[in-house]
Amino acid sequence: MQPVTSISATFEALDGPVTIMRDARGIPFVRASGWHGLFEGQGYATACDRLWHIEHDRRRARGTLAEISGRRGHVQFDAFARRARLTDLAQEGLARLDEPTRSMCAAYADGVNRRLAEFPKLSSPFRRLGAPYPESMEDWEPLAIFLVRHATFATWQQKLWNARVAVACGPLAVARFSREPRSEATPVIVPPGVLDANHELPMTLSDTNPEWLEDLAPLGLGMSGSNAWAVDGTRTETGAPIVAGDPHRALEAPNVYYQTGLALTDEPVDAAGFAFPGVPGIAHFGQNLGTAWAITSAMVDYQDLYIERLDEAVVHRRTETITVRAEPDLEIECLTTRHGAIVSDGVTGVGLALASAGFDRPAGSLAAVIPQLRAQTVEELDAALAAWVEPVNNFVLADRRGTIAYRTAGKVPIRPAINAWLPVPGSVDTYDWSGYIADAELPRSVNPAAGAIVTANQRITTSDYPHVLGVHPHGPNRAARIWARLELEPQADVRAMSGIHSDDVSIGGRRIAALAVDRLGDWTGRMAVESVHAAVCARARHNLASLLASRLPEQLRVNPFAAWEPRATSASVEMWVADAMGSWIVDDERWLLDEGESWTDVITSAVLLAVDEVGDRTWGELHHMTPLRLGERERVDLGPVSGSGDCVMTTSDIAGVSLNAMVGSTCRYVWDLSDRTRSRWVVPMGADEDESSPQHLDQHRAFVAVDSFPIWREEVVA
């Protein structure tokens, strides 16, 4: 039995009393009589545990992180944030939100400021960096934090890579870097359970000679996830739906998501889920009195890059100064065109303008927060998500009446298909947006015949869907494994659904083993910590990616945009190759193999080399969970962990960088619609960012073991 919840704070808000209770793991449950008090309480509780987390993201959005760190990578991101006008966009976005959402943001900032007024002892990250005490939070800053969390989260940096490939290898080669095999059917999201093949080369590339990419020469381009699923009552022990999942992001310390409960005493609102520190509500994964929701990235394209000739295109310019710790100040010129802000350095007469639905309607997704918390049916949740802007997500929904549903949510621009593949000319209007796909036309499914919905970043629709959503979905491996596990659980309960999170079978690893001429014996593809064969397979994958990358044209192996492209999501060439080579193996695509060479040849050689490199070491000895400390260079070593990048238990190493897990699950949850006291959750590490706190790592052992904790207890639900 868990200890009784304690009351950690009470105060009077503008609309009545606020009580903050905490469970044994320090997770806050906020109770208030009115909406202002609810979000003020959330801001206050979050600032008690994650003040550095909030301050870090505020500084990233403002472009002032280098001021306290002096790091070159932070200077680069500060410049991007200034050029992209993130703070201006947040202030503009706040003015465009409806009054309840504006008030929500102001109340949250009031809560953070209430905590700041208490002058608490600063947590360990502040002390290590010597960061000053934070300034008061303003009402637009929750929007800025939401924006900065997604500005480099979508597709525009993929297009920089595509441009490099098109110039070095020709436009047809761009499609070769797809993660989706052409000779294998994908279990699409809509209709659930349907397998669909997508074998055709995109006509937008085969018919195009993008000569306009030559305009990028002055910039250096010389002729040089997440799982979520739901089952309906026909597949559960109780006859009610269950929703489960886990998001995948870069691993950070403290963790990107923060558990919280929010309840009103004067209205039937009582929810729990995961929030971004600094942002009010429970936008991404949550359960309330009547419904539950979960998301994965839809891999949809809603950001474009426009090649601009600056002497003609600039409509506004300003100079900004970046303060860098222990270094001279840096002045940068910030330019804006009709398509958006120039995000490249712009000193060569040519620049790249970033157009994004999230910049067009800044943090507009926050308008869905209050309706989500109120929703008692899937229909009400679906209506709330009509306001969603970015990131464009797969939403899985369920309610206590027994309905399960899927919908794509977000603003997807209408424009030529080539925009989804490459930077396009800004000097003509041919490539301009002509509005957004109507919400009613976005993919949906309600109570599918399959009795289940599975989203794992795979392709959303069958190939006859009339709109271009995205061109770089993940392959089918994780979705296929989830479907296979669901078929083994005809009458699932919460424990069975939680067990799917622990699935560490790598379909890609099985393929490597099958082609490695018996070098991996009878290994089943399980990326388990105790497995030597798993370690050999992972090392062989890195060897293979390095070999194939070395065979690419030399100009493709050097990033010409490195001087200004934000490092947070720029990738090594080996990583791009590793992401695509699984589909090359399936399709027997030999474009980087020597004449007469087969995949069996190169894979066997890579495995033999890996056997020598690995010796008798296990996967757990090579593969540790290593989140990056926010604002710092160091990674925290949290010990061995099973899984890999294409497992349901996603713990991604990065080819060309490290065998350690640097990307992976950032929370896990199971929402039971029959009785929400059975619902469970867990995060890596814990609730508190301070390393001296008992709640800093108290969930981590359970997280690594793929265990979880109940959310609601009698004292909280009552």
Side-chain angles (χ1 to χ4, degrees):
M1 187 71 177
Q2 298 175 68
V4 174
T5 300
S6 62
I7 294 176
S8 67
T10 59
F11 57 81
E12 282 291 323
L14 293 175
D15 52 1
V18 178
T19 301
I20 299 171
M21 299 177 290
R22 292 183 182 266
D23 69 10
R25 284 165 295 284
I27 298 167
F29 291 78
V30 182
R31 264 198 194 153
S33 57
W35 287 101
H36 189 283
L38 186 69
F39 295 118
E40 184 175 352
Q42 185 184 11
Y44 177 87
T46 307
C48 287
D49 301 332
R50 297 291 188 92
L51 190 58
W52 167 246
H53 198 156
I54 294 171
E55 176 68 358
H56 173 270
D57 282 1
R58 290 170 72 195
R59 284 186 171 274
R60 285 185 86 222
R62 288 176 177 265
T64 61
L65 196 52
E67 181 180 299
I68 58 172
S69 76
R71 290 182 53 194
R72 177 174 171 76
H74 291 158
V75 173
Q76 222 165 358
F77 195 90
D78 285 352
F80 168 78
R82 304 287 187 94
R83 290 179 179 129
R85 302 178 54 247
L86 295 184
T87 58
D88 292 344
L89 289 169
Q91 293 173 57
E92 293 165 11
L94 182 71
R96 294 172 59 178
L97 289 172
D98 59 275
E99 194 281 328
T101 308
R102 292 197 304 273
S103 295
M104 173 184 76
C105 295
Y108 190 94
D110 286 347
V112 173
N113 293 334
R114 179 182 287 272
R115 177 59 176 166
L116 288 174
E118 295 176 352
F119 289 94
K121 175 185 174 183
L122 293 177
S123 59
S124 46
F126 279 99
R127 297 195 297 274
R128 273 195 305 272
L129 283 165
Y133 200 80
E135 297 177 356
S136 295
M137 190 177 203
E138 299 188 49
D139 56 0
W140 54 267
E141 289 192 276
L143 282 78
I145 291 172
F146 191 88
L147 280 171
V148 80
R149 277 285 168 185
H150 298 107
T152 56
F153 187 72
T155 54
W156 68 271
Q157 286 173 289
Q158 171 83 53
K159 293 174 189 181
L160 292 178
W161 168 254
N162 289 353
R164 292 163 60 188
V165 172
V167 168
C169 306
L172 294 182
V174 173
R176 284 186 167 131
F177 282 88
S178 171
R179 292 171 288 206
E180 185 180 36
R182 299 193 189 287
S183 60
E184 184 176 62
T186 292
V188 295
I189 300 173
V190 178
V194 169
L195 294 173
D196 186 73
N198 183 21
H199 300 172
E200 298 300 319
L201 186 69
M203 296 304 291
T204 50
L205 291 174
S206 60
D207 288 351
T208 298
N209 178 22
E211 69 283 347
W212 61 78
L213 292 179
E214 295 180 10
D215 288 344
L216 289 179
L219 288 182
L221 187 61
M223 306 282 102
S224 50
S226 302
N227 307 312
W229 62 93
V231 292
D232 67 16
T234 66
R235 287 176 171 260
T236 66
E237 183 182 60
T238 65
I242 298 176
V243 177
D246 62 311
H248 308 153
R249 285 178 175 255
L251 296 173
E252 299 172 343
N255 184 52
V256 61
Y257 288 115
Y258 175 76
Q259 296 147 296
T260 191
L262 301 173
L264 290 176
T265 56
D266 297 347
E267 190 175 334
V269 171
D270 191 346
F274 302 88
F276 284 127
V279 180
I282 302 170
H284 285 175
F285 327 93
Q287 183 175 8
N288 63 20
L289 290 167
T291 65
W293 58 94
I295 69 158
T296 64
S297 172
M299 310 306 292
V300 164
D301 189 71
Y302 59 91
Q303 294 181 326
D304 281 349
L305 286 173
Y306 289 91
I307 304 167
E308 304 282 16
R309 297 170 183 171
L310 301 180
D311 58 344
E312 304 169 357
V314 172
V315 296
H316 183 266
R317 65 178 69 223
R318 71 187 190 284
T319 299
E320 294 216 8
T321 301
I322 297 174
T323 301
V324 185
R325 181 175 181 173
E327 297 285 345
D329 289 352
L330 175 68
E331 283 198 350
I332 61 168
E333 191 171 38
C334 301
L335 310 174
T336 305
T337 74
R338 67 188 182 91
H339 293 113
I342 296 293
V343 293
S344 58
D345 57 24
V347 299
T348 59
V350 174
L352 283 165
L354 174 59
S356 173
F359 292 177
D360 183 36
R361 303 184 183 191
S365 300
L366 296 186
V369 167
I370 292 174
Q372 274 180 288
L373 293 174
R374 279 181 162 144
Q376 296 302 302
T377 66
V378 160
E379 290 83 357
E380 290 174 354
L381 269 179
D382 183 85
L385 293 170
W388 197 265
V389 177
E390 70 147 351
V392 179
N393 284 330
N394 301 306
F395 269 87
V396 179
L397 316 174
D399 63 30
R400 295 187 68 180
R401 302 179 310 171
T403 299
I404 67 170
Y406 164 84
R407 66 115 77 211
T408 308
K411 304 305 178 191
V412 185
I414 299 169
R415 75 284 206 212
I418 192 65
N419 288 40
W421 290 97
L422 293 167
V424 293
S427 56
V428 294
D429 59 12
T430 308
Y431 306 95
D432 287 1
W433 295 3
S434 57
Y436 294 100
I437 298 173
D439 186 66
E441 296 178 30
L442 292 174
R444 282 177 169 80
S445 179
V446 179
N447 291 328
I453 296 164
V454 171
T455 75
N457 313 118
Q458 81 274 31
R459 189 153 43 90
I460 297 173
T461 64
T462 54
S463 47
D464 57 358
Y465 182 70
H467 298 291
V468 175
L469 292 177
V471 296
H472 292 290
H474 283 216
N477 291 357
R478 282 184 289 114
R481 284 299 301 170
I482 294 170
W483 276 111
R485 291 292 299 261
L486 289 175
E487 293 308 312
L488 297 175
E489 304 288 350
Q491 294 293 297
D493 58 11
V494 167
R495 285 290 181 185
M497 293 288 271
S498 295
I500 296 175
H501 284 131
S502 69
D503 190 276
D504 58 9
V505 172
S506 166
I507 292 178
R510 283 179 169 176
R511 291 189 178 119
I512 287 175
L515 290 169
V517 193
D518 298 326
R519 299 295 176 177
L520 291 172
D522 59 356
W523 180 58
T524 62
R526 286 196 58 212
M527 301 297 293
V529 289
E530 68 274 12
S531 171
V532 174
H533 285 336
V536 170
C537 181
R539 182 68 256 176
R541 179 175 173 268
H542 280 237
N543 293 342
L544 186 57
S546 295
L547 171 68
L548 298 175
S550 72
R551 295 179 176 182
L552 290 168
E554 183 177 357
Q555 65 266 39
L556 190 52
R557 301 201 301 271
V558 178
N559 184 1
F561 308 126
W564 56 267
E565 182 183 355
R567 295 181 182 182
T569 52
S570 59
S572 67
V573 175
E574 290 87 350
M575 180 176 168
W576 292 114
V577 170
D579 277 354
M581 70 186 186
S583 63
W584 300 341
I585 294 169
V586 172
D587 294 339
D588 196 23
E589 167 61 74
R590 305 188 186 193
W591 76 299
L592 292 180
L593 302 192
D594 291 339
E595 186 176 353
E597 194 174 41
S598 70
W599 283 108
T600 296
D601 297 331
V602 294
I603 287 173
T604 301
S605 296
V607 169
L608 287 172
L609 177 59
V611 168
D612 290 339
E613 293 169 327
V614 169
D616 60 358
R617 288 179 293 173
T618 65
W619 183 221
E621 291 178 84
L622 301 180
H623 188 61
H624 286 205
M625 189 172 180
T626 56
L628 178 69
R629 282 183 171 141
L630 288 182
E632 302 181 57
R633 288 186 174 89
E634 295 79 16
R635 289 184 172 271
V636 183
D637 189 338
L638 295 177
V641 63
S642 296
S644 69
D646 73 337
C647 298
V648 178
M649 188 179 180
T650 300
T651 58
S652 300
D653 52 287
I654 298 179
V657 179
S658 174
L659 280 168
N660 285 320
M662 302 171 74
V663 176
S665 300
T666 48
C667 67
R668 298 191 186 104
Y669 53 88
V670 182
W671 311 134
D672 189 335
L673 276 296
S674 71
D675 178 355
R676 68 188 189 135
T677 64
R678 300 180 183 181
S679 296
R680 301 179 72 86
W681 61 2
V682 69
V683 295
M685 294 171 283
D688 200 316
E689 69 189 8
D690 196 319
E691 290 157 27
S692 65
S693 166
Q695 277 79 45
H696 181 64
L697 288 174
D698 62 338
Q699 297 187 52
H700 194 69
R701 181 177 296 179
F703 181 85
V704 171
V706 199
D707 198 359
S708 55
F709 304 101
I711 302 171
W712 283 282
R713 300 192 311 282
E714 184 178 352
E715 311 87 74
V716 175
V717 175

